[in-house]
Amino acid sequence: MSFLSEILRSKRSEVAARKGAIRLAALKARIADLEPARGFETALARPEGSALRLIAEIKKASPSKGLIRDDFDPVRIAKTYATAGAHALSVLTDRRFFQGDLAYLALVREAVLLPILEKDFVIDEFQVYEARALGADAVLLIAAALEPGQLREYAQLAREVGLAALVEVHNEAELEQVVETAALIGINNRDLATFDTDLATTERVLRHVPDDRIVVSESGILGRKDVERLTALEIDAVLIGETFMRAPLIEDKVRELMGDSSPSRTAAGRMAERR
């Protein structure tokens, strides 16, 4: 059984249990009283000639790598990313495989003003309502995890409740199934069968993406040369998590990858990141 199949089987049980405990009507009532979501799509749109946009990810662990960051504090990490110049955040909320938590959404939202993507495995409309109610501004819809009809339905529902939808594909066949639905397309460089990453995936799939879509390259972005390679493709944004989570000083790593030559923070700021 692949990682994705195992995750989806677990997610179905998890969501079914949560739906029993939290009534959908209560989520809808909560959403009705919320302020408009922050502009995730606007934050990623890259004007011609400007720098690549960054979605910085808050991620404690992964099923293939295990624990990635021991001193994990989502609020402190979110503030560091904001200081370093990220344009949006991605927050892992899956608990079993990524050691995330839905509660991180509200904590991070309270701490920073950046738009937030909830990174999870959406397999039920309940999760779209839940994401909006708990503080997300966008949801991830994975083409490999959904039937094309489901993906269209959830993307439409996301729009109705005020969320952006980042539709993730891994190859040309998945892109073909979603290209008419998605305004925001994430090209994941990770092979779901082997879990290997290859930036050539973005180069290959991008050739088939219409010019009016916002494109995000995800996974396997390890250094400044990788960012420069993707910048040359004229995509809009990159989503980077593990590289930052493994760095002793996250802010310095963000500035290094994104080519920010502005002065580093004070010693006091560095100490705050360590705490």
Side-chain angles (χ1 to χ4, degrees):
M1 179 181 291
S2 68
F3 276 132
L4 181 62
S5 298
E6 185 179 355
I7 290 170
L8 294 180
R9 188 177 67 169
S10 172
K11 190 61 62 177
R12 291 185 191 98
S13 301
E14 175 196 318
V15 173
R18 229 168 37 242
K19 285 172 72 174
I22 306 172
R23 294 186 181 279
L24 186 58
L27 290 179
K28 291 181 178 179
R30 188 168 171 181
I31 290 169
D33 294 330
L34 293 177
E35 295 179 351
R38 297 169 185 167
F40 185 79
E41 188 171 327
T42 301
L44 300 188
R46 179 187 178 195
E48 188 173 349
S50 65
L52 207 58
R53 293 338 201 198
L54 170 64
I55 308 173
E57 189 155 271
I58 298 172
K59 174 181 182 179
K60 184 174 183 178
S62 79
S64 61
K65 303 289 180 62
L67 181 65
I68 295 171
R69 192 169 187 90
D70 193 18
D71 63 333
F72 182 82
D73 179 339
V75 169
R76 180 161 48 87
I77 294 168
K79 289 179 177 177
T80 300
Y81 278 150
T83 301
H87 301 88
L89 301 179
S90 168
V91 178
L92 262 298
T93 57
D94 176 81
R95 181 174 290 181
R96 178 177 174 188
F97 297 94
F98 292 85
Q99 299 187 35
D101 198 306
L102 287 164
Y104 294 163
L105 293 173
L107 293 173
V108 170
R109 188 176 189 81
E110 181 72 20
V112 297
L113 296 175
L114 296 174
I116 300 167
L117 168 73
E118 185 200 6
K119 188 95 172 278
D120 209 314
F121 298 84
V122 172
I123 46 89
D124 191 296
E125 67 171 16
F126 174 84
Q127 294 169 278
V128 179
Y129 287 109
E130 187 179 54
R132 178 73 171 102
L134 296 182
D137 303 292
V139 288
L140 181 72
L141 300 178
I142 303 173
L146 297 167
E147 295 295 330
Q150 281 181 305
L151 195 143
R152 286 192 295 272
E153 178 186 342
Y154 298 163
Q156 176 62 31
L157 177 59
R159 285 191 289 272
E160 290 174 4
V161 299
L163 295 173
L166 177 61
V167 178
E168 181 181 282
V169 302
H170 298 80
N171 53 51
E172 294 91 331
E174 290 178 3
L175 175 68
E176 186 176 355
Q177 292 181 344
V178 307
V179 70
E180 296 303 322
T181 302
L184 275 168
I185 295 175
I187 302 175
N188 195 321
N189 300 301
R190 189 177 303 282
D191 186 312
L192 286 177
T194 64
F195 260 57
D196 293 336
T197 57
D198 186 349
L199 299 190
T201 303
T202 292
E203 294 168 341
R204 195 181 67 246
V205 175
L206 182 65
R207 298 188 192 111
H208 306 279
V209 178
D211 291 340
D212 61 350
R213 304 301 198 273
I214 293 173
V215 177
V216 182
S217 184
E218 311 169 20
S219 300
I221 302 165
L222 307 178
R224 177 63 190 158
K225 287 186 177 179
D226 291 336
V227 175
E228 290 175 346
R229 177 178 173 182
L230 293 167
T231 299
L233 298 177
E234 299 185 349
I235 62 171
D236 296 277
V238 289
L239 190 155
I240 304 175
E242 185 176 333
T243 300
F244 296 150
M245 290 293 92
R246 290 193 184 282
L249 288 172
I250 294 172
E251 182 179 341
D252 286 358
K253 197 66 177 179
V254 172
R255 293 187 188 281
E256 175 191 327
L257 260 68
M258 302 310 292
D260 182 350
S261 58
S262 60
S264 297
R265 293 178 305 158
T266 63
R270 291 169 181 273
M271 290 299 292
E273 183 178 329
R274 288 193 176 105
R275 285 195 293 268

